[in-house]
C-alpha cells in the first residue's frame, strides 16, 4: 500500500519491522553536486542507516545513482514530478527565497510526511539539506533528552551559540525526528497546513515547523552548536591561528565535530566556493574521494570571509606571505 496524495511518489507504508535509522533529503537537479558531496562525506559514517532521497529535474535519480558504485545498498532514490516553478529555473545556481527555492522547500514537507509513514515505528530519521558536510556519525547524540523525539540544529548564529538547548530558533537544514505516533501522523501534516496558511516567517518549511512547535508548545532540543555547526557559527567566527571557528576548534581537536551546514549564505555558488576553499568539497578529490579515511580527517584550510548582517557575502583564500 502507498500514499494516496495525487502527484506524489508512491512509498510503501511501514509494517511491523524493527525500528532503524534513516536519512532523508529532498533536492532539485540544480543541487545534485551538493547532494553527491554530502553523501560522500556521510557514507563512511552511515553504519546501518538507509538514505531516502527525493529528486526533481532532468537526470534525477539516474544521475545521482551513477555517482556511486552499483553495489551500494544504502541509497534509495525516488524521482518526483516537477512544478512550473522548478521547470522555470534550470540554472546551476539556486538563490535563497527564489521561486525555485520556495517550490523545493514546500515539497520537502510533503516528502517528510511520506518518509515518516514509510519507516517503522520507533525509528530515528535525520532530515538533512544537501549543503551539509559530515565528519562523524550524526546519530551519536543524547537521544533520551527529548521526550517528544525532536532534535534540531541551531538556527541562531554564533552570538547565541550554546545559550539554550531547550527550544530556541530551529534550523531545518539538519534535524532528527523519532517516529512516534504524533510525529508520524500529525507533526508534518500540521506544519504543511501552517505553511499553506502562510504561518511561516520565511515562507518555507523552517518557518512553518517553527510555528508548529511554538503553537503547540512542543518540547524539543537544540543540538550542540559546537558539534552541529551552521555557517555563521563556523565561517563567521574564524580563529585565524587554527583556521576554524573558535566555537568548534575544541570539538575538532578531540574528534567530536559532527557537521558543517553551509547556510547563512544566499547563493549556492558561494556555498560551493566556501566549501571548496575550506577543503570540504570532496567532489574535487578524484578517485580518492571514496576512501573513507580521507573524508574523516579534519583538514580545514584558512579562509577569509566577509559578513553583512550575519550573512556570509564572500569567501576568499588566505594569501600566504613568504619572507625573502
Amino acid at each position: 500500500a502507498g500514499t494516496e496524495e495525487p502527484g506524489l511518489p508512491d512509498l510503501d507504508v511501514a509494517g511491523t519491522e524493527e525500528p532503524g535509522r534513516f536519512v532523508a533529503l529532498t533536492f532539485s537537479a540544480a543541487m545534485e553536486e551538493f547532494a553527491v558531496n554530502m553523501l560522500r562525506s556521510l557514507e563512511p559514517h552511515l553504519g546501518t542507516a538507509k538514505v531516502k532521497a527525493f529528486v526533481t529535474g532532468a537526470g534525477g535519480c539516474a544521475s545521482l545513482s551513477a555517482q556511486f558504485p552499483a553495489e551500494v545498498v544504502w541509497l534509495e532514490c525516488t524521482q518526483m514530478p516537477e512544478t512550473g516553478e522548478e521547470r522555470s529555473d534550470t540554472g546551476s545556481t539556486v538563490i535563497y527565497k527564489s521561486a525555485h527555492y520556495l517550490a523545493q522547500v514546500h515539497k520537502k514537507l510533503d516528502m517528510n510526511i511520506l518518509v515518516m509513514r514509510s519507516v517503522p515505528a520507533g525509528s530515528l530519521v535525520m532530515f538533512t539539506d544537501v549543503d551539509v558536510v559530515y565528519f562523524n556519525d550524526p546519530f551519536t547524540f543524547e537521544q533520551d533528552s527529548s521526550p517528544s523525539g525532536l532534535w534540531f540544529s541551531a538556527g541562531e548564529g554564533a552570538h547565541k551559540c550554546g545559550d539554550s538547548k531547550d527550544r530556541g530558533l530551529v534550523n531545518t537544514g539538519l534535524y532528527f525526528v523519532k517516529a512516534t505516533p504524533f510525529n508520524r501522523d500529525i507533526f508534518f501534516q500540521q506544519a504543511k497546513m501552517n505553511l499553506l496558511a502562510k504561518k511561516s516567517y520565511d515562507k518555507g518549511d523552517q518557518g512553518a515547523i517553527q510555528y508548529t512547535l511554538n503553537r503547540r508548545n512542543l518540547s524539543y532540543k537544540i543540538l550542540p552548536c559546537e558539534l552541529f555547526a551552521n555557517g555563521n557559527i563556523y565561517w563567521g567566527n574564524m580563529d585565524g591561528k587554527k583556521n576554524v571557528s573558535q566555537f568548534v576548534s575544541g570539538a575538532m581537536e578531540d574528534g567530536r565535530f559532527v557537521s558543517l551546514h553551509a547556510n547563512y549564505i544566499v547563493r549556492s555558488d558561494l556555498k560551493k566556493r566556501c566549501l571548496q576553499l575550506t577543503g570540504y568539497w570532496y567532489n574535487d578529490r578524484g578517485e580518492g574521494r571514496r576512501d573513507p579515511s580521507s573524508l574523516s580527517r579534519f583538514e580545514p584550510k584558512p579562509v577569509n570571509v566577509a559578513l553583512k548582517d550575519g550573512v556570509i557575502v564572500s569567501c576568499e583564500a588566505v594569501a600566504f606571505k613568504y619572507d625573502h
Side-chain angles (χ1 to χ4, degrees):
T3 179
E4 299 177 357
E5 281 88 342
L8 296 181
D10 188 46
L11 293 186
D12 289 337
V13 175
T16 58
E17 299 92 341
E18 290 295 315
R21 293 178 173 181
F22 297 88
V23 177
L25 55 144
T26 301
F27 63 98
S28 69
M31 294 292 284
E32 180 188 310
E33 61 178 345
F34 282 87
V36 173
N37 192 65
M38 184 274 287
L39 290 172
R40 285 194 174 123
S41 73
L42 180 62
E43 183 179 6
H45 314 294
L46 274 174
T48 60
K50 303 295 184 183
V51 176
K52 293 177 177 284
F54 302 88
V55 192
T56 59
C61 287
S63 180
L64 177 66
S65 299
Q67 301 296 323
F68 297 92
E71 63 270 19
V72 162
V73 297
W74 48 263
L75 178 60
E76 172 190 318
C77 189
T78 302
Q79 186 73 40
M80 299 188 300
E82 291 182 289
T83 66
E85 289 84 356
E86 287 153 357
R87 293 192 189 98
S88 69
D89 189 343
T90 58
S92 60
T93 298
V94 176
I95 301 174
Y96 179 60
K97 289 190 177 181
S98 66
H100 174 84
Y101 173 89
L102 291 175
Q104 282 299 124
V105 296
H106 277 238
K107 188 157 288 186
K108 280 172 63 178
L109 288 177
D110 291 327
M111 297 307 103
N112 293 358
I113 292 170
L114 297 184
V115 167
M116 294 307 294
R117 290 178 181 174
S118 71
V119 301
S123 295
L124 187 61
V125 182
M126 180 178 79
F127 294 94
T128 179
D129 282 356
V130 295
D131 57 345
V132 181
V133 178
Y134 292 92
F135 305 89
N136 271 310
D137 179 357
F139 288 91
T140 55
F141 63 94
E142 190 179 351
Q143 297 174 20
D144 295 332
S145 61
S146 173
S148 64
L150 297 167
W151 300 263
F152 293 87
S153 54
E156 299 281 8
H159 66 294
K160 289 192 175 181
C161 181
D163 280 1
S164 175
K165 295 183 179 179
D166 298 300
R167 305 182 69 81
L169 187 65
V170 305
N171 169 22
T172 57
L174 195 171
Y175 62 106
F176 296 84
V177 180
K178 190 169 185 177
T180 64
F182 175 83
N183 292 340
R184 292 181 78 190
D185 300 329
I186 300 175
F187 179 63
F188 285 119
Q189 289 86 335
Q190 289 207 341
K192 183 59 185 291
M193 291 172 60
N194 289 329
L195 180 60
L196 294 175
K198 299 183 179 180
K199 304 292 186 180
S200 170
Y201 70 84
D202 65 349
K203 300 181 181 180
D205 63 312
Q206 182 163 291
I209 285 176
Q210 185 77 67
Y211 183 87
T212 304
L213 293 168
N214 296 344
R215 182 75 172 181
R216 293 191 65 97
N217 196 30
L218 296 174
S219 64
Y220 58 93
K221 293 289 183 177
I222 299 295
L223 296 164
C225 58
E226 72 277 10
L227 303 183
F228 298 83
N230 62 39
N232 179 278
I233 290 169
Y234 189 95
W235 284 300
N237 291 269
M238 297 291 284
D239 183 332
K241 295 181 180 179
K242 298 181 180 179
N243 305 331
V244 297
S245 165
Q246 57 182 310
F247 292 99
V248 307
S249 59
M252 278 195 162
E253 288 170 0
D254 60 22
R256 294 180 301 116
F257 187 57
V258 176
S259 64
L260 164 60
H261 183 193
N263 65 346
Y264 276 83
I265 304 174
V266 173
R267 296 174 58 92
S268 62
D269 51 356
L270 182 56
K271 291 175 186 280
K272 178 179 177 179
R273 178 172 175 79
C274 292
L275 289 170
Q276 284 179 316
L277 291 176
T278 310
Y280 299 148
W281 190 255
Y282 304 119
N283 293 341
D284 294 340
R285 295 195 178 189
E287 288 304 313
R289 64 197 174 193
R290 292 198 182 115
D291 175 11
S293 64
S294 72
L295 304 185
S296 300
R297 298 192 301 270
F298 304 123
E299 303 171 332
K301 298 178 182 178
V303 178
N304 285 329
V305 300
L307 293 90
K308 182 178 180 180
D309 299 326
V311 175
I312 297 161
V313 294
S314 72
C315 279
E316 300 296 337
V318 172
F320 290 96
K321 295 181 179 180
Y322 298 93
D323 295 327
H324 296 283

